[in-house]
Amino acid sequence: QVQLVESGGGLVQAGGSLRLSCAASGSIGSINDMGWYRQAPEKQRELVALIASGGRTNYADSVKGRFTISRDNARNTVYLQMNSLKPEDTAVYYCNALILVTGGIWKKAYWGQGTQVTVSS
């Protein structure tokens, strides 16, 4: 069994910063892409940032230059540093990872439980 546990959300004023963390644990053989998604009320879940196992990154246009995704492969952990936060960044942020479990054949996408980020104006 594999679990993704997120931490670091909270309430911050516009212009502030937060750092999200997501640690994967369990019977992990290998982890490919890791990423962060977000879902605001009455909106669809959207990709925020993605990082491949080799370190290549991809960002949504709305967060480029403000957010930075990184990972620690030894700790099976992905981070999202969020700077210059705006009220429109308010959402539940979900961690996602493409994982091959130990002894498995197919990779599967796993999700964290979500962490609330609220940016006040």
Side-chain angles (χ1 to χ4, degrees), residues 42-65:
E42 300 182 359
K43 290 190 176 180
Q44 288 191 332
R45 191 173 296 189
E46 62 175 0
L47 174 67
V48 176
L50 202 62
I51 184 167
S53 56
R56 181 178 177 181
T57 59
N58 188 33
Y59 295 92
D61 287 342
S62 59
V63 306
K64 282 181 181 175

Side-chain angles (χ1 to χ4, degrees), residues 25-47:
S25 62
S27 300
I28 296 171
S30 62
I31 303 178
N32 285 46
D33 292 352
M34 301 185 83
W36 291 94
Y37 290 72
R38 67 186 181 188
Q39 188 167 16
E42 300 182 359
K43 290 190 176 180
Q44 288 191 332
R45 191 173 296 189
E46 62 175 0
L47 174 67

